[in-house]
mmCIF file of all heavy atoms in Angstrom:
data_model
loop_
_atom_site.group_PDB
_atom_site.id
_atom_site.type_symbol
_atom_site.label_atom_id
_atom_site.label_comp_id
_atom_site.label_asym_id
_atom_site.label_seq_id
_atom_site.Cartn_x
_atom_site.Cartn_y
_atom_site.Cartn_z
ATOM 1 N N SER A 20 -1.978 -5.859 5.238
ATOM 2 C CA SER A 20 -2.302 -4.908 4.171
ATOM 3 C C SER A 20 -2.309 -5.615 2.826
ATOM 4 O O SER A 20 -1.462 -6.471 2.539
ATOM 5 C CB SER A 20 -1.276 -3.769 4.134
ATOM 6 O OG SER A 20 -1.492 -2.826 5.157
ATOM 7 N N ILE A 21 -3.281 -5.234 1.992
ATOM 8 C CA ILE A 21 -3.370 -5.787 0.642
ATOM 9 C C ILE A 21 -3.500 -4.661 -0.370
ATOM 10 O O ILE A 21 -3.876 -3.537 -0.038
ATOM 11 C CB ILE A 21 -4.571 -6.750 0.479
ATOM 12 C CG1 ILE A 21 -5.904 -6.021 0.749
ATOM 13 C CG2 ILE A 21 -4.406 -7.972 1.380
ATOM 14 C CD1 ILE A 21 -7.141 -6.843 0.406
ATOM 15 N N VAL A 22 -3.171 -4.980 -1.614
ATOM 16 C CA VAL A 22 -3.621 -4.187 -2.746
ATOM 17 C C VAL A 22 -4.543 -5.074 -3.569
ATOM 18 O O VAL A 22 -4.501 -6.307 -3.494
ATOM 19 C CB VAL A 22 -2.471 -3.648 -3.628
ATOM 20 C CG1 VAL A 22 -1.525 -2.793 -2.826
ATOM 21 C CG2 VAL A 22 -1.710 -4.768 -4.325
ATOM 22 N N LEU A 23 -5.382 -4.429 -4.367
ATOM 23 C CA LEU A 23 -6.264 -5.133 -5.287
ATOM 24 C C LEU A 23 -5.858 -4.771 -6.699
ATOM 25 O O LEU A 23 -5.762 -3.586 -7.050
ATOM 26 C CB LEU A 23 -7.721 -4.753 -5.029
ATOM 27 C CG LEU A 23 -8.255 -5.154 -3.651
ATOM 28 C CD1 LEU A 23 -9.645 -4.563 -3.431
ATOM 29 C CD2 LEU A 23 -8.289 -6.668 -3.489
ATOM 30 N N LEU A 24 -5.608 -5.773 -7.514
ATOM 31 C CA LEU A 24 -5.115 -5.593 -8.872
ATOM 32 C C LEU A 24 -6.225 -5.869 -9.876
ATOM 33 O O LEU A 24 -6.820 -6.950 -9.875
ATOM 34 C CB LEU A 24 -3.939 -6.545 -9.120
ATOM 35 C CG LEU A 24 -3.464 -6.707 -10.569
ATOM 36 C CD1 LEU A 24 -2.922 -5.395 -11.124
ATOM 37 C CD2 LEU A 24 -2.398 -7.815 -10.647
ATOM 38 N N ASP A 25 -6.505 -4.899 -10.716
ATOM 39 C CA ASP A 25 -7.418 -5.069 -11.853
ATOM 40 C C ASP A 25 -6.553 -5.212 -13.101
ATOM 41 O O ASP A 25 -6.062 -4.219 -13.647
ATOM 42 C CB ASP A 25 -8.352 -3.865 -11.961
ATOM 43 C CG ASP A 25 -9.420 -4.025 -13.043
ATOM 44 O OD1 ASP A 25 -9.120 -4.637 -14.095
ATOM 45 O OD2 ASP A 25 -10.549 -3.530 -12.850
ATOM 46 N N ARG A 26 -6.343 -6.446 -13.517
ATOM 47 C CA ARG A 26 -5.463 -6.695 -14.660
ATOM 48 C C ARG A 26 -6.044 -6.159 -15.963
ATOM 49 O O ARG A 26 -5.306 -5.678 -16.832
ATOM 50 C CB ARG A 26 -5.180 -8.199 -14.786
ATOM 51 C CG ARG A 26 -4.344 -8.771 -13.641
ATOM 52 C CD ARG A 26 -4.010 -10.232 -13.860
ATOM 53 N NE ARG A 26 -3.264 -10.799 -12.741
ATOM 54 C CZ ARG A 26 -1.938 -10.762 -12.622
ATOM 55 N NH1 ARG A 26 -1.221 -10.181 -13.580
ATOM 56 N NH2 ARG A 26 -1.331 -11.300 -11.583
ATOM 57 N N GLN A 27 -7.347 -6.236 -16.114
ATOM 58 C CA GLN A 27 -7.979 -5.802 -17.353
ATOM 59 C C GLN A 27 -7.870 -4.290 -17.532
ATOM 60 O O GLN A 27 -7.540 -3.804 -18.615
ATOM 61 C CB GLN A 27 -9.445 -6.219 -17.374
ATOM 62 C CG GLN A 27 -10.194 -5.795 -18.639
ATOM 63 C CD GLN A 27 -11.652 -6.230 -18.634
ATOM 64 O OE1 GLN A 27 -12.107 -6.910 -17.703
ATOM 65 N NE2 GLN A 27 -12.377 -5.839 -19.662
ATOM 66 N N ASN A 28 -8.141 -3.554 -16.466
ATOM 67 C CA ASN A 28 -8.111 -2.096 -16.534
ATOM 68 C C ASN A 28 -6.788 -1.495 -16.061
ATOM 69 O O ASN A 28 -6.625 -0.281 -16.060
ATOM 70 C CB ASN A 28 -9.273 -1.520 -15.724
ATOM 71 C CG ASN A 28 -10.615 -1.912 -16.321
ATOM 72 O OD1 ASN A 28 -10.933 -1.532 -17.442
ATOM 73 N ND2 ASN A 28 -11.399 -2.699 -15.580
ATOM 74 N N ARG A 29 -5.865 -2.359 -15.625
ATOM 75 C CA ARG A 29 -4.467 -2.015 -15.386
ATOM 76 C C ARG A 29 -4.289 -0.943 -14.302
ATOM 77 O O ARG A 29 -3.663 0.083 -14.499
ATOM 78 C CB ARG A 29 -3.773 -1.608 -16.685
ATOM 79 C CG ARG A 29 -3.731 -2.747 -17.706
ATOM 80 C CD ARG A 29 -2.888 -2.389 -18.916
ATOM 81 N NE ARG A 29 -1.533 -2.077 -18.540
ATOM 82 C CZ ARG A 29 -0.576 -2.983 -18.281
ATOM 83 N NH1 ARG A 29 -0.858 -4.277 -18.361
ATOM 84 N NH2 ARG A 29 0.636 -2.603 -17.953
ATOM 85 N N PHE A 30 -4.876 -1.228 -13.133
ATOM 86 C CA PHE A 30 -4.624 -0.377 -11.978
ATOM 87 C C PHE A 30 -4.588 -1.244 -10.727
ATOM 88 O O PHE A 30 -5.050 -2.391 -10.720
ATOM 89 C CB PHE A 30 -5.679 0.726 -11.834
ATOM 90 C CG PHE A 30 -7.072 0.242 -11.547
ATOM 91 C CD1 PHE A 30 -7.459 -0.124 -10.268
ATOM 92 C CD2 PHE A 30 -8.018 0.168 -12.563
ATOM 93 C CE1 PHE A 30 -8.746 -0.566 -9.996
ATOM 94 C CE2 PHE A 30 -9.302 -0.269 -12.306
ATOM 95 C CZ PHE A 30 -9.669 -0.644 -11.023
ATOM 96 N N ILE A 31 -4.000 -0.677 -9.656
ATOM 97 C CA ILE A 31 -4.091 -1.296 -8.341
ATOM 98 C C ILE A 31 -4.718 -0.304 -7.374
ATOM 99 O O ILE A 31 -4.534 0.913 -7.493
ATOM 100 C CB ILE A 31 -2.729 -1.775 -7.783
ATOM 101 C CG1 ILE A 31 -1.718 -0.627 -7.674
ATOM 102 C CG2 ILE A 31 -2.179 -2.917 -8.612
ATOM 103 C CD1 ILE A 31 -0.432 -1.012 -6.947
ATOM 104 N N VAL A 32 -5.463 -0.829 -6.402
ATOM 105 C CA VAL A 32 -5.975 -0.058 -5.272
ATOM 106 C C VAL A 32 -5.042 -0.346 -4.111
ATOM 107 O O VAL A 32 -4.916 -1.495 -3.676
ATOM 108 C CB VAL A 32 -7.418 -0.467 -4.928
ATOM 109 C CG1 VAL A 32 -7.969 0.433 -3.834
ATOM 110 C CG2 VAL A 32 -8.306 -0.411 -6.170
ATOM 111 N N SER A 33 -4.389 0.679 -3.590
ATOM 112 C CA SER A 33 -3.209 0.448 -2.747
ATOM 113 C C SER A 33 -3.404 0.712 -1.266
ATOM 114 O O SER A 33 -2.463 0.541 -0.489
ATOM 115 C CB SER A 33 -2.043 1.304 -3.251
ATOM 116 O OG SER A 33 -2.342 2.688 -3.119
ATOM 117 N N GLY A 34 -4.597 1.142 -0.825
ATOM 118 C CA GLY A 34 -4.733 1.471 0.588
ATOM 119 C C GLY A 34 -3.767 2.572 0.977
ATOM 120 O O GLY A 34 -3.636 3.573 0.273
ATOM 121 N N ASP A 35 -3.044 2.390 2.079
ATOM 122 C CA ASP A 35 -2.138 3.422 2.582
ATOM 123 C C ASP A 35 -0.671 3.162 2.277
ATOM 124 O O ASP A 35 0.185 3.947 2.668
ATOM 125 C CB ASP A 35 -2.262 3.514 4.113
ATOM 126 C CG ASP A 35 -3.520 4.219 4.554
ATOM 127 O OD1 ASP A 35 -4.325 4.617 3.698
ATOM 128 O OD2 ASP A 35 -3.707 4.353 5.783
ATOM 129 N N SER A 36 -0.341 2.063 1.630
ATOM 130 C CA SER A 36 1.041 1.591 1.623
ATOM 131 C C SER A 36 1.981 2.346 0.698
ATOM 132 O O SER A 36 3.190 2.294 0.889
ATOM 133 C CB SER A 36 1.088 0.097 1.276
ATOM 134 O OG SER A 36 0.440 -0.654 2.292
ATOM 135 N N ILE A 37 1.445 3.033 -0.300
ATOM 136 C CA ILE A 37 2.292 3.717 -1.274
ATOM 137 C C ILE A 37 2.110 5.217 -1.118
ATOM 138 O O ILE A 37 0.988 5.721 -1.125
ATOM 139 C CB ILE A 37 1.972 3.271 -2.706
ATOM 140 C CG1 ILE A 37 2.182 1.762 -2.839
ATOM 141 C CG2 ILE A 37 2.839 4.014 -3.712
ATOM 142 C CD1 ILE A 37 1.622 1.179 -4.102
ATOM 143 N N SER A 38 3.203 5.920 -0.982
ATOM 144 C CA SER A 38 3.170 7.353 -0.750
ATOM 145 C C SER A 38 3.196 8.106 -2.071
ATOM 146 O O SER A 38 4.144 7.991 -2.843
ATOM 147 C CB SER A 38 4.368 7.786 0.097
ATOM 148 O OG SER A 38 4.428 9.193 0.199
ATOM 149 N N GLY A 39 2.143 8.860 -2.300
ATOM 150 C CA GLY A 39 2.129 9.787 -3.426
ATOM 151 C C GLY A 39 2.318 11.207 -2.925
ATOM 152 O O GLY A 39 1.801 12.151 -3.505
ATOM 153 N N GLY A 40 3.028 11.351 -1.824
ATOM 154 C CA GLY A 40 3.222 12.644 -1.184
ATOM 155 C C GLY A 40 2.526 12.719 0.155
ATOM 156 O O GLY A 40 2.939 13.457 1.042
ATOM 157 N N SER A 41 1.453 11.946 0.319
ATOM 158 C CA SER A 41 0.770 11.864 1.619
ATOM 159 C C SER A 41 1.525 10.872 2.496
ATOM 160 O O SER A 41 1.695 9.712 2.104
ATOM 161 C CB SER A 41 -0.676 11.404 1.418
ATOM 162 O OG SER A 41 -1.362 11.306 2.645
ATOM 163 N N PRO A 42 2.000 11.274 3.682
ATOM 164 C CA PRO A 42 2.880 10.392 4.459
ATOM 165 C C PRO A 42 2.223 9.074 4.858
ATOM 166 O O PRO A 42 1.056 9.032 5.244
ATOM 167 C CB PRO A 42 3.226 11.235 5.692
ATOM 168 C CG PRO A 42 3.037 12.649 5.253
ATOM 169 C CD PRO A 42 1.882 12.616 4.300
ATOM 170 N N VAL A 43 2.985 7.998 4.772
ATOM 171 C CA VAL A 43 2.559 6.678 5.221
ATOM 172 C C VAL A 43 2.854 6.565 6.712
ATOM 173 O O VAL A 43 3.972 6.837 7.156
ATOM 174 C CB VAL A 43 3.305 5.566 4.451
ATOM 175 C CG1 VAL A 43 2.885 4.187 4.962
ATOM 176 C CG2 VAL A 43 3.042 5.691 2.952
ATOM 177 N N PHE A 44 1.861 6.156 7.499
ATOM 178 C CA PHE A 44 2.059 5.967 8.933
ATOM 179 C C PHE A 44 2.867 4.689 9.164
ATOM 180 O O PHE A 44 2.437 3.592 8.790
ATOM 181 C CB PHE A 44 0.713 5.846 9.647
ATOM 182 C CG PHE A 44 0.011 7.157 9.887
ATOM 183 C CD1 PHE A 44 -0.359 7.982 8.836
ATOM 184 C CD2 PHE A 44 -0.284 7.567 11.175
ATOM 185 C CE1 PHE A 44 -1.011 9.182 9.052
ATOM 186 C CE2 PHE A 44 -0.936 8.775 11.410
ATOM 187 C CZ PHE A 44 -1.304 9.594 10.343
ATOM 188 N N MET A 45 4.036 4.826 9.801
ATOM 189 C CA MET A 45 4.891 3.658 10.066
ATOM 190 C C MET A 45 5.360 3.612 11.513
ATOM 191 O O MET A 45 6.340 2.954 11.827
ATOM 192 C CB MET A 45 6.086 3.655 9.108
ATOM 193 C CG MET A 45 5.722 3.341 7.661
ATOM 194 S SD MET A 45 5.003 1.706 7.406
ATOM 195 C CE MET A 45 6.425 0.657 7.712
ATOM 196 N N PHE A 46 4.659 4.305 12.406
ATOM 197 C CA PHE A 46 4.978 4.203 13.834
ATOM 198 C C PHE A 46 3.900 3.356 14.503
ATOM 199 O O PHE A 46 2.768 3.278 14.039
ATOM 200 C CB PHE A 46 5.080 5.580 14.487
ATOM 201 C CG PHE A 46 3.793 6.362 14.479
ATOM 202 C CD1 PHE A 46 2.921 6.305 15.557
ATOM 203 C CD2 PHE A 46 3.453 7.160 13.391
ATOM 204 C CE1 PHE A 46 1.738 7.025 15.559
ATOM 205 C CE2 PHE A 46 2.262 7.879 13.377
ATOM 206 C CZ PHE A 46 1.408 7.811 14.465
ATOM 207 N N GLY A 47 4.271 2.716 15.596
ATOM 208 C CA GLY A 47 3.321 1.873 16.316
ATOM 209 C C GLY A 47 3.624 0.400 16.111
ATOM 210 O O GLY A 47 4.332 0.001 15.174
ATOM 211 N N GLY A 48 3.056 -0.418 16.970
ATOM 212 C CA GLY A 48 3.411 -1.830 17.019
ATOM 213 C C GLY A 48 2.989 -2.653 15.827
ATOM 214 O O GLY A 48 3.507 -3.757 15.634
ATOM 215 N N GLU A 49 2.049 -2.169 15.006
ATOM 216 C CA GLU A 49 1.575 -2.978 13.880
ATOM 217 C C GLU A 49 2.445 -2.826 12.639
ATOM 218 O O GLU A 49 2.268 -3.559 11.666
ATOM 219 C CB GLU A 49 0.129 -2.588 13.518
ATOM 220 C CG GLU A 49 -0.845 -2.588 14.692
ATOM 221 C CD GLU A 49 -0.976 -3.936 15.357
ATOM 222 O OE1 GLU A 49 -0.779 -4.958 14.674
ATOM 223 O OE2 GLU A 49 -1.264 -3.967 16.569
ATOM 224 N N ARG A 50 3.385 -1.899 12.644
ATOM 225 C CA ARG A 50 4.114 -1.546 11.424
ATOM 226 C C ARG A 50 5.483 -2.216 11.378
ATOM 227 O O ARG A 50 6.107 -2.451 12.411
ATOM 228 C CB ARG A 50 4.302 -0.040 11.316
ATOM 229 C CG ARG A 50 3.187 0.817 11.893
ATOM 230 C CD ARG A 50 1.911 0.816 11.100
ATOM 231 N NE ARG A 50 0.985 1.824 11.610
ATOM 232 C CZ ARG A 50 -0.251 1.995 11.184
ATOM 233 N NH1 ARG A 50 -0.730 1.244 10.210
ATOM 234 N NH2 ARG A 50 -1.030 2.923 11.697
ATOM 235 N N SER A 51 5.980 -2.472 10.165
ATOM 236 C CA SER A 51 7.303 -3.080 10.009
ATOM 237 C C SER A 51 7.944 -2.590 8.720
ATOM 238 O O SER A 51 7.429 -2.857 7.627
ATOM 239 C CB SER A 51 7.204 -4.609 9.967
ATOM 240 O OG SER A 51 8.416 -5.185 9.510
ATOM 241 N N PHE A 52 9.057 -1.885 8.848
ATOM 242 C CA PHE A 52 9.768 -1.451 7.654
ATOM 243 C C PHE A 52 10.386 -2.636 6.913
ATOM 244 O O PHE A 52 10.465 -2.629 5.679
ATOM 245 C CB PHE A 52 10.856 -0.434 8.008
ATOM 246 C CG PHE A 52 10.385 0.983 7.948
ATOM 247 C CD1 PHE A 52 10.335 1.761 9.092
ATOM 248 C CD2 PHE A 52 9.994 1.551 6.741
ATOM 249 C CE1 PHE A 52 9.907 3.079 9.045
ATOM 250 C CE2 PHE A 52 9.563 2.869 6.678
ATOM 251 C CZ PHE A 52 9.511 3.635 7.834
ATOM 252 N N HIS A 53 10.826 -3.667 7.627
ATOM 253 C CA HIS A 53 11.425 -4.818 6.944
ATOM 254 C C HIS A 53 10.394 -5.494 6.039
ATOM 255 O O HIS A 53 10.687 -5.846 4.885
ATOM 256 C CB HIS A 53 11.977 -5.798 7.974
ATOM 257 C CG HIS A 53 13.109 -5.234 8.774
ATOM 258 N ND1 HIS A 53 14.336 -4.956 8.220
ATOM 259 C CD2 HIS A 53 13.189 -4.867 10.083
ATOM 260 C CE1 HIS A 53 15.133 -4.455 9.153
ATOM 261 N NE2 HIS A 53 14.464 -4.392 10.286
ATOM 262 N N ALA A 54 9.175 -5.667 6.530
ATOM 263 C CA ALA A 54 8.115 -6.221 5.694
ATOM 264 C C ALA A 54 7.767 -5.253 4.566
ATOM 265 O O ALA A 54 7.479 -5.682 3.433
ATOM 266 C CB ALA A 54 6.880 -6.523 6.540
ATOM 267 N N TYR A 55 7.795 -3.968 4.848
ATOM 268 C CA TYR A 55 7.482 -2.956 3.836
ATOM 269 C C TYR A 55 8.460 -3.017 2.669
ATOM 270 O O TYR A 55 8.053 -2.954 1.498
ATOM 271 C CB TYR A 55 7.500 -1.568 4.481
ATOM 272 C CG TYR A 55 7.049 -0.457 3.573
ATOM 273 C CD1 TYR A 55 5.703 -0.167 3.425
ATOM 274 C CD2 TYR A 55 7.965 0.315 2.875
ATOM 275 C CE1 TYR A 55 5.279 0.861 2.591
ATOM 276 C CE2 TYR A 55 7.563 1.348 2.047
ATOM 277 C CZ TYR A 55 6.208 1.613 1.904
ATOM 278 O OH TYR A 55 5.795 2.631 1.067
#
């Protein structure tokens, strides 16, 4: 998973990793809370 940082316009595109109330999927073999 990546985010994309726009330093000039001061935002990041975060994919699914940051919860703004919508639950982040963390079950299944690809996920790791320690890495999170």
Side-chain angles (χ1 to χ4, degrees):
S20 283
I21 61 171
V22 302
L23 296 172
L24 168 64
D25 185 325
R26 293 184 183 273
Q27 180 180 357
N28 296 296
R29 297 187 59 80
F30 65 80
I31 58 172
V32 185
S33 64
D35 284 2
S36 296
I37 301 168
S38 173
S41 180
V43 178
F44 281 60
M45 289 298 290
F46 64 93
E49 308 300 332
R50 327 288 189 185
S51 166
F52 269 115
H53 295 292
Y55 186 84

